[in-house]
Every structure is written in structure tokens, then in C-alpha cells.
Amino acid sequence: MVTLSVSMIRQARCTTLRRLQPFARGYATPAGAELKVSNQFLSINTRSLNRATQPNTSFKSVTHYDDNAPQSTLDMIHAHTSYLLNTYARPSILFTHGKGCKLFTTSPSSTSSSGVQEYLDFTAGIAVNALGHGDEQIAEIMKDQQSKLTHASNVYWNEYAGELAKLLVENTRKQGGLGLKSDSAPGTGAKVFFSNSGTEANEGALKFVRKYAKEVNPSMASTKTAIVCFTNAFHGRSMGALSVTPNPKYQEPFAPLIPNVRVGELNQHEGLEELIDENVCGVIIEPIQGEGGLNEGTRDWMIKLAKRAREVGAILIYDEIQCGLFRTGKMWAHSGFPLEAQPDIVTMAKPLANGFPIGAIMVRDHVAEKISVGSHGTTFGGQPLATRVGAHVVSRLSAPEFLSRMNDTAAHLDTLLERLPKLFPNIIPAPVRGRGFMRGIPFAHADAPAELVKRARQRGVLLLTAGKDAVRLVPSLTVTKEECDHAIGVIESCLVTMEEDGFGK
């Protein structure tokens, strides 16, 4: 077998084939052209050649029209707009049910015997449904707990909040994270506070760092209040979380925000000491940015960041709301970081109860000691229903056989994604970003990500944009290799049509 570059093979195919069908990406040959290549080229297995060097064009046809909803659905959407605040730009698609990585609409489809449109969901509800849609075990647990006790308030104890907290702390100790030592006594090292969302978790974490600074440095209570965040970050849209989400589109309509927030550049070493000085009480960062484009902090920079935070007594928060809880193949995106790069606080939410609202703040003991009765509170956070579902989800996600299967599938997805920059170098100028099932396809043109999301949706695959230049793939962690093949096949077909329409020129 001969190893050839993509450009060599394209040239060979364009100059050696007789009057065959035009090459899928536009490389046709002149009529009557004769074979002019060596036996070395002719000995290559054509089928393997096609798989390795040509994009999948099987899904070029549009099958799922955005405007194909039945009149009853359109009428419902129109009626709902009279009562719902219009804060989302949505196509006329209404999902009614799902199973695994599939979602189904009310729209008729000629490709489905059931008369509805089926979509392969590579968004997992924005990285939420780790165990997929319509999970029967979760449905049974929710039914059972709902019939017993849903809510009784945090004035009292319940059975499952402590159980979920223990699972989070002890699995973190076992699998790596938060600097917890594997040989320390159970019940030491970290404590958990439950909220209802990722935004609430980050709000609580920001409060905790302010509280800690005032308790530890009473003489600097009025000056040690600065919080550092980083460009392209997304930490939520309530006022505190929004203040550390430095995107003008999100911030400007609500200014002025909370004061004394400093914005640094991700992975920029120069000026880090000046950015994080003695007046900084907290630093918040996503180890892998989700909404911001799947940019990742380099290991040496994260080490330097953490060291600098500790030098000035600032608490380091890792926002793992999207990249945490096994999405990257390990429990936390920072699980493999050295001890000197470990955080003091980790925030989480999205997959924690597979779609049932819950968030959490996991805090190292030295911070937890400064958080006293009355420091924070919540009406619904930590309720029995949410925490029982969360305990079930964490138990399943952390099972060795689940992780082994998931990482095997993620490795398969990685081999598929490696092809894209080689097949479409003018559209995708750099390698795909991220790890595990949190991947970002970077584009050379700002309008390309939204266009790919639209074209993929019209062919039955749901994707997300991320930041200014990327398309995000965050499927359920139960996704199969066959579903990965299908999704990437659709993506390749869409990129072929985009190239034909002038993208990349």
C-alpha cells in the first residue's frame, strides 16, 4: 500500500481517470483522457482510496425542511409567542419526544414510516442529556420519588442531597480533581452546595470568594474584592455571572455590571502577575471554554495561573459546567492536571441530573470553613427529586464499563474528525479542538458555523455554534460509533455543498 498526500491523490484522480463521473468535490477529467500514471498508483485499492481522501456526499439532499411543520404546530407556535418573551431565535421545529440520541418532531417526513421527522441530536440539549433522551431508568426513579417526596425545603434534611454530595466528592477523590488526596479520610477535603443551574452555581462561587477574602484578610476587606475572568468566557447571564462573561453583546444592554472585574487573555503569560495582584479575591475560568469556541487553557499556563492565584491568596474557580462530569473522558477536564494547577472550587450543572434542573458548587475545606450558616441559600436547590436523579446519573457515568465504552467511541469520533481539515483546508484551517465528546470545528469564515448548523439540521443532524468561529459537537455520552459515522457523514456532505457554493474561496 502506498501512502499519498491528499493533493497527490486528487491530482492523480483528475489526470488518470477516463470519462468517469465527476469527482464529488468538482475535480472532473477531460473527455477521452488516457491513463498516465505508474503501476504504483494503479495498485491502490480504490475503495480504501475513496474512504481516505473523499468526503461523504451521501447526505447532500435536504430531507428536513425547517418550514415543514403542520399547520397545527405553526398555530401553536404563533399562539405561544403571544405569551412567551422573545429571547430566542428558533426555527419552526417543535420536538415532542426523544429516545437515546434521537429527537422527534410533529413535522411529516417522507423518510420516516412514522410520519414524523427524526433528528440525530449532537447537542444533547447543550451538553445536558449525558444519558440521552427518554432514559427508562431515570423515568422510573422520577416517578417513584415524585410519589414519595419532591420538596420539603432546606429547613430540613433529606435522603439524597448528602448521598449525591458524597458521590461527587469521593469520585473526585478517586478519579482526580480539586486537589483531593486519594488517601485522605472520607468526609474530608471538600463540601458541596446545591443550586438549580450552572449560572446559580457560578453566582454562589463568586459570593464564596468574596466571603473568604473578607474572613481571611479583614484588614483588606474593602480592597481585596477584584475578580479575574478571561476573554471568550461564558459563565451565565445573571448579573454576577454576566459580569465575568466579557462579551459586549451580552453585557452592554445591562451595564453597569458589578464593579472591579478584570479581564485577561486566555493562555497569555505576559502581564499575568499584574492582572492577578494582591487586590484580587478570586479567579474564574473554564478549563475548556464551551460557548466561547472550545478554546482550552494550555497546561503550562494553567499551572502558572493557579500558582499566581495562590501567591496572592485568591481563590481559583474552575467552571466545569459544560466540560465536567465525564464529557472529556474523565470526571473533570482538570482531572489530569498536576497538583499545582488544581482549583479551590469547581462549579457544575448541565449533565448532573440529565436534564432535571440542578447545579452544584464543590468547595475545598479551607474555603468551606469560612462559609457559615446564612452565607448562602436556595429554595429549590438540593431537593429530594433532583438529588436522587443526580445520584443515579453520577453512579452510572462513573461506572468503569460505561467509561471504557464511552472513551472507545470518543476515540472513533476523533479519527473521523481528523479528516475534516485535510478534506476541507480552505474552510477548516486548523485541527478540531477539544477532547472526548466536547469538540469544536474551527472555520476560516465567520458566517460558516451558522451555515453548517443550518444545513446539517436540514439533513437531520442537530449541531451548535460556539464562539465566533466554531461548530460544537456535544452529543450524549451514550452515542454510538454508528451515530458518530452518520453525524460526520452529514457534516462532510454539508461541507461539500458549502464549498460548491463558494465557502473557502
Side-chain angles (χ1 to χ4, degrees):
M1 183 66 69
V2 180
T3 301
L4 304 173
S5 69
V6 172
S7 60
M8 291 170 61
I9 294 171
R10 284 177 175 167
Q11 183 179 4
R13 292 187 64 82
C14 291
T15 58
T16 65
L17 302 179
R18 286 185 111 175
R19 185 71 173 167
L20 296 179
Q21 291 294 322
F23 183 32
R25 301 184 64 213
Y27 296 93
T29 58
E34 297 295 328
L35 297 176
K36 298 179 181 179
V37 293
S38 68
N39 291 335
Q40 190 178 44
F41 277 85
L42 297 177
S43 66
I44 298 174
N45 182 290
T46 303
R47 185 174 299 174
S48 298
L49 180 73
N50 290 343
R51 282 200 303 266
T53 65
Q54 296 186 62
N56 190 326
T57 59
S58 302
F59 305 98
K60 290 180 71 174
S61 300
V62 172
T63 57
H64 292 54
Y65 294 92
D66 286 350
D67 57 356
N68 199 35
Q71 190 60 47
S72 59
T73 297
L74 295 176
D75 291 343
M76 181 186 297
I77 291 172
H78 178 72
H80 287 182
T81 60
S82 300
Y83 299 96
L84 291 170
L85 274 174
N86 185 29
T87 59
Y88 300 98
R90 296 182 274 212
S92 298
I93 297 174
L94 191 155
F95 291 117
T96 57
H97 57 291
K99 192 66 179 176
C101 291
K102 304 291 179 59
L103 282 170
F104 304 92
T105 76
T106 56
S107 303
S109 173
S110 59
T111 62
S112 173
S113 59
S114 64
V116 298
Q117 285 185 341
E118 175 185 300
Y119 290 79
L120 177 58
D121 183 11
F122 251 59
T123 75
I126 315 184
V128 168
N129 301 104
L131 295 172
H133 301 285
D135 184 85
E136 293 178 1
Q137 294 183 53
I138 292 176
E140 187 61 34
I141 285 173
M142 293 182 72
K143 178 182 177 182
D144 180 67
Q145 188 60 38
Q146 178 69 33
S147 68
K148 294 178 178 178
L149 183 66
T150 301
H151 178 79
S153 89
N154 283 305
V155 173
Y156 311 103
W157 295 91
N158 74 64
E159 294 178 83
Y160 296 103
E163 179 182 341
L164 176 54
K166 178 182 178 180
L167 282 168
L168 290 169
V169 172
E170 297 307 325
N171 271 290
T172 298
R173 190 193 311 281
K174 177 182 177 181
Q175 302 190 34
L178 206 65
L180 300 184
K181 297 180 180 179
S182 59
D183 58 351
S184 57
T188 64
K191 304 292 186 294
V192 177
F193 179 93
F194 290 112
S195 64
N196 303 288
S197 68
T199 295
E200 285 189 23
N202 283 336
E203 286 282 349
L206 295 175
K207 285 182 65 178
F208 291 170
V209 301
R210 285 273 179 91
K211 180 71 158 54
Y212 179 86
K214 291 179 183 297
E215 292 284 336
V216 174
N217 306 279
S219 64
M220 299 179 67
S222 62
T223 58
K224 196 174 183 63
T225 60
I227 295 172
V228 171
C229 62
F230 295 91
T231 51
N232 298 315
F234 185 90
H235 299 294
R237 301 205 197 204
S238 56
M239 292 301 281
L242 180 62
S243 299
V244 292
T245 298
N247 184 327
K249 179 176 71 173
Y250 298 148
Q251 288 188 337
E252 287 178 358
F254 307 100
L257 302 174
I258 68 170
N260 213 1
V261 172
R262 305 177 183 182
V263 181
E265 291 287 335
L266 187 73
N267 292 327
Q268 182 171 309
H269 290 264
E270 185 178 356
L272 196 62
E273 288 77 12
E274 292 74 23
L275 176 70
I276 306 173
D277 62 19
E278 297 291 337
N279 291 322
V280 171
C281 66
V283 178
I284 185 168
I285 186 171
E286 302 157 276
I288 305 176
Q289 294 177 335
E291 305 295 327
L294 280 293
N295 303 298
E296 185 168 0
T298 62
R299 180 164 297 208
D300 61 335
W301 184 81
M302 295 293 281
I303 292 172
K304 185 175 181 180
L305 174 73
K307 284 183 175 180
R308 181 55 183 167
R310 293 199 171 90
E311 286 173 359
V312 301
I315 295 301
L316 180 60
I317 304 167
Y318 280 177
D319 174 346
E320 295 230 19
I321 289 163
Q322 189 161 155
C323 63
L325 292 170
F326 304 99
R327 181 150 292 279
T328 62
K330 297 182 179 180
M331 186 165 185
W332 306 111
H334 75 273
S335 287
F337 286 9
L339 182 62
E340 58 265 39
Q342 295 290 312
D344 303 294
I345 296 176
V346 176
T347 57
M348 68 198 83
K350 288 182 178 292
L352 186 52
N354 205 60
F356 194 90
I358 189 173
I361 314 165
M362 188 158 55
V363 183
R364 288 291 304 272
D365 278 348
H366 69 280
V367 179
E369 290 168 357
K370 307 303 179 183
I371 309 303
S372 55
V373 173
S375 295
H376 200 40
T378 171
T379 295
F380 298 105
Q383 58 151 263
L385 180 57
T387 52
R388 183 176 176 186
V389 174
H392 173 81
V393 170
V394 172
S395 295
R396 282 174 63 182
L397 293 180
S398 59
E401 59 273 17
F402 181 93
L403 291 175
S404 176
R405 182 172 59 251
M406 181 192 76
N407 285 320
D408 182 52
T409 305
H412 176 72
L413 176 62
D414 195 50
T415 63
L416 299 174
L417 292 171
E418 286 176 352
R419 290 166 39 93
L420 298 182
K422 301 172 185 176
L423 292 172
F424 305 96
N426 295 327
I427 300 179
I428 302 172
V432 175
R433 304 168 187 158
R435 291 184 260 149
F437 285 130
M438 186 177 183
R439 310 308 300 272
I441 305 172
F443 285 86
H445 302 277
D447 51 350
E451 187 65 24
L452 175 57
V453 169
K454 176 184 176 182
R455 295 192 188 206
R457 185 176 67 241
Q458 292 174 338
R459 289 156 179 82
V461 173
L462 303 177
L463 307 172
L464 295 165
T465 58
K468 299 177 181 178
D469 70 341
V471 164
R472 187 175 9 159
L473 282 65
V474 282
S476 297
L477 305 187
T478 56
V479 68
T480 66
K481 291 181 180 179
E482 292 74 21
E483 288 169 333
C484 291
D485 291 338
H486 182 87
I488 302 304
V490 168
I491 289 172
E492 290 185 3
S493 288
C494 291
L495 292 171
V496 168
T497 66
M498 289 171 63
E499 198 169 53
E500 291 171 349
D501 291 341
F503 282 87
K505 290 184 178 178

